[in-house]
Amino acid sequence: MMLNDLITILKYEYTVHPGEYFNVDTYWVKNMTEVKTVIIDQDHVFTKMVSFYPKNFVIYLEQFPDQSIYRTNFPLKKIDNSDSHEVVFDETEKNVFEYLD
């Protein structure tokens, strides 16, 4: 899959400004070595990178001095009483055993 094809499937966008906190709870990732990150472009002013997580979850980040833009292929929902978000996976694909250790 080409990067441009990948970016077109990232239809959910979240903008974060300096001082705001943005975190995605990746409870299903057992070890961070499972996450593959590619830095597309980076200098002292901006960063563009994409991270591939298990369960086909993808985050694309464009970071600028005045804001960061996150694009994902699944929607995110803010966790109650938290600054973190959870991924809203397609319920038909959910595996009930993923919650058991």
Side-chain angles (χ1 to χ4, degrees):
M1 181 176 284
M2 298 295 296
L3 180 61
N4 287 340
D5 295 335
L6 172 69
I7 291 172
T8 62
I9 66 168
L10 303 178
K11 57 186 174 179
Y12 304 98
E13 183 173 297
Y14 306 90
T15 301
V16 180
H17 295 93
E20 293 179 335
Y21 182 73
F22 185 84
N23 182 58
V24 177
D25 182 1
T26 55
Y27 62 88
W28 71 94
V29 177
K30 302 299 182 204
N31 186 322
M32 287 309 290
T33 61
E34 296 177 276
V35 178
K36 303 301 179 207
T37 298
V38 177
I39 297 174
I40 300 164
D41 199 358
Q42 184 174 40
D43 66 17
H44 67 287
V45 177
F46 71 92
T47 299
K48 290 182 183 181
M49 60 190 252
V50 63
S51 296
F52 302 91
Y53 291 77
K55 294 185 65 168
N56 296 320
F57 177 64
V58 178
I59 294 179
Y60 173 73
L61 167 64
E62 287 183 275
Q63 190 171 36
F64 305 94
D66 60 337
Q67 69 181 7
S68 296
I69 300 170
Y70 294 85
R71 292 184 180 93
T72 65
N73 60 329
F74 287 98
L76 302 179
K77 181 179 102 176
K78 191 158 187 194
I79 298 172
D80 291 338
N81 302 315
S82 171
D83 289 330
S84 294
H85 295 76
E86 63 184 340
V87 179
V88 181
F89 289 107
D90 183 343
E91 293 295 321
T92 61
E93 294 179 11
K94 230 177 212 184
N95 177 355
V96 295
F97 298 106
E98 77 186 36
Y99 299 104
L100 305 175
D101 286 321

